[in-house]
Amino acid sequence: MAGCHARVGYWVLTVLLSWGAGQAWAQTNSDQSESRDPAKPEAGFRDLILPEPLEGQAEPEDRLVILPEIKREGERFFLSSFKLPDKLTFAGQTIPLDNWQVRERIEYEFYQFLEDQGESIILAKRTGRCFPPAEKQLAEAGLPDDLKYMLLVESKCIAAAYSKAKASGPWQFIPSTGRRYHLKSDAVRDERRSLEMSTEAAIKYLKYLKEFQQNDWFLAMASYNAGEERVRKLLKEQKITDYWKMHGPRETMRYVPRIIAAKEIYSQPEKYLGLTKKDLYVTVDTETVTVNVKEAQRNLTSIAEEFGTYFLELKMLNPEFKKDVLPKGTYQIKVPRQTCPNRCFKQDKTP
């Protein structure tokens, strides 16, 4: 407490001395205004120096410090500088943006994406790696390319994504739907995690849902999220046939608008995020090899070494493998494409 009283006393003394010095300067300035040399700069409070602490007295922590003003370069950035267009389409269908509640729902998701700029940049970069395989499979199946944006909403393009509902993989199949479309899941591997395998299953499921929901892609996507029977029941109860008029679970109400907002932003990363195509992650050039495990089990590290890679990369290229070892059997495994003569699978050792 004594130290505290000393600091307070010193602070009061400092203020009084400063005020007194100012009064003295004001009086002197008034008396000598006629004799001031105009060539010399005016003295003032800016020239006053607070007295140093008395000998043996500590510097107070609460002395007033005036920081210089921070000058900001350029105009202030506002999210509102980005506007949702007046017209949008998805999978060939027009979105009724003239309906007030439809526009607000899509704008909400639009600005939610843009608000977290760091995550949006990473999502945009991932599209360079996860979209090409999906684009190829969708085109071969004759489905709209726009459906690839479901990957961003379902899993953020993360192969090993897993939800509380036990949905797994880039397309987030729950176990029952995965089995329905022949995606195997056991103690060794979960094929729902494979981008190619799960995209094939998603294509089949989406085709079925579109036919089930009167060829409407909005209702098909809502059904993908909530289940076709649940959506059918909601439509019947509410006596409607339009997704945009349907009242349903909050997640399903947001699901389709979020996919539409994702298309608008991530189809134009240069406009919304300042990214060019060369900023996006590229696909790893891989080839598929057959591995026969003859012993009781084999460590993935050993397999990685055999094919010129390392454990982490092998796991990331083959996310369907759940453990660090493979039991006896035959497996198709992705490995980085080899470049001879430096990285051949079975190079002869130099004598």
Side-chain angles (χ1 to χ4, degrees):
M1 291 297 292
C4 178
H5 290 312
R7 286 198 298 274
V8 173
Y10 176 73
W11 174 250
V12 173
L13 176 62
T14 297
V15 173
L16 288 175
L17 287 173
S18 299
W19 178 82
Q23 293 294 335
W25 173 81
Q27 183 63 42
T28 303
N29 183 57
S30 176
D31 295 342
Q32 299 180 359
S33 59
E34 297 180 0
S35 61
R36 183 181 296 115
D37 185 349
K40 294 182 180 179
E42 291 185 0
F45 282 111
R46 66 178 182 274
D47 298 320
L48 293 176
I49 302 175
L50 292 177
E52 295 297 323
L54 299 176
E55 185 177 353
Q57 193 168 22
E59 178 79 15
E61 297 177 359
D62 51 358
R63 292 185 69 183
L64 180 64
V65 177
I66 300 177
L67 298 175
E69 180 182 358
I70 299 175
K71 294 183 179 180
R72 300 184 182 276
E73 300 294 334
E75 297 182 3
R76 187 175 175 186
F77 171 76
F78 289 98
L79 277 179
S80 57
S81 62
F82 295 115
K83 304 290 185 183
L84 192 70
D86 292 331
K87 295 182 179 179
L88 287 176
T89 62
F90 188 93
Q93 293 182 226
T94 301
I95 299 159
L97 290 176
D98 55 341
N99 184 313
W100 65 272
Q101 55 91 9
V102 173
R103 171 170 282 275
E104 181 172 340
R105 286 160 64 186
I106 296 174
E107 281 189 332
Y108 178 82
E109 305 302 339
F110 177 76
Y111 289 116
Q112 285 290 309
F113 273 124
L114 292 177
E115 190 274 334
D116 195 341
Q117 196 175 67
E119 176 156 307
S120 286
I121 288 172
I122 292 299
L123 284 180
K125 284 175 169 282
R126 284 179 187 159
T127 64
R129 191 167 55 218
C130 81
F131 274 7
E135 289 169 345
K136 181 181 177 182
Q137 289 175 268
L138 286 168
E140 290 173 350
L143 293 190
D145 184 72
D146 286 351
L147 296 176
K148 68 189 179 186
Y149 294 101
M150 292 175 66
L151 285 165
L152 295 175
V153 176
E154 285 289 346
S155 65
K156 300 181 180 179
C157 276
I158 297 174
Y162 194 81
S163 75
K164 293 180 180 178
K166 298 183 180 180
S168 179
W171 288 95
Q172 287 291 281
F173 278 99
I174 59 174
S176 59
T177 311
R179 288 190 297 269
R180 179 175 164 187
Y181 289 97
H182 311 294
L183 293 174
K184 298 177 181 178
S185 180
D186 54 32
V188 178
R189 58 186 170 188
D190 184 351
E191 292 180 346
R192 294 175 296 169
R193 294 182 180 180
S194 166
L195 178 58
E196 290 79 7
M197 292 180 186
S198 62
T199 299
E200 183 180 347
I203 285 171
K204 293 176 182 177
Y205 189 27
L206 286 166
K207 278 184 174 181
Y208 161 75
L209 291 174
K210 183 172 182 280
E211 292 176 1
F212 186 84
Q213 299 293 0
Q214 295 81 46
N215 293 319
D216 185 300
W217 279 116
F218 300 137
L219 286 173
M221 290 189 292
S223 299
Y224 190 96
N225 175 258
E228 59 268 35
E229 287 300 329
R230 188 174 190 181
V231 170
R232 184 192 62 78
K233 184 178 179 181
L234 289 170
L235 294 174
K236 184 177 179 180
E237 289 174 349
Q238 296 168 33
K239 299 181 180 180
I240 53 173
T241 58
D242 186 351
Y243 165 78
W244 298 107
K245 295 179 181 179
M246 184 184 78
H247 181 274
R250 183 172 182 269
E251 182 182 331
T252 307
M253 295 282 287
R254 292 186 60 187
Y255 185 72
V256 175
R258 192 160 180 79
I259 294 169
I260 292 168
K263 178 195 171 182
E264 173 62 22
I265 294 170
Y266 298 108
S267 65
Q268 305 173 84
E270 60 285 334
K271 175 181 177 180
Y272 293 108
L273 301 167
L275 298 175
T276 64
K277 285 187 177 180
K278 62 183 180 181
D279 293 320
L280 309 185
Y281 299 140
V282 298
T283 55
V284 180
D285 189 15
T286 63
E287 54 188 314
T288 302
V289 297
T290 301
V291 175
N292 292 307
V293 177
K294 298 178 180 179
E295 55 268 52
Q297 64 180 29
R298 186 177 177 188
N299 198 297
L300 287 177
T301 299
S302 169
I303 297 172
E305 289 177 339
E306 179 182 348
F307 292 102
T309 182
Y310 51 95
F311 174 77
L312 175 61
E313 185 173 53
L314 193 69
K315 286 281 283 186
M316 294 182 76
L317 293 176
N318 301 273
E320 62 270 23
F321 293 122
K322 298 167 71 173
K323 297 189 176 181
D324 300 344
V325 296
L326 294 179
K328 186 176 181 179
T330 301
Y331 303 91
Q332 300 295 310
I333 299 178
K334 283 184 186 176
V335 296
R337 190 173 295 280
Q338 307 300 308
T339 302
C340 290
N342 296 325
R343 292 182 65 196
C344 286
F345 289 153
K346 296 182 180 179
Q347 283 190 89
D348 293 330
K349 294 182 180 179
T350 305

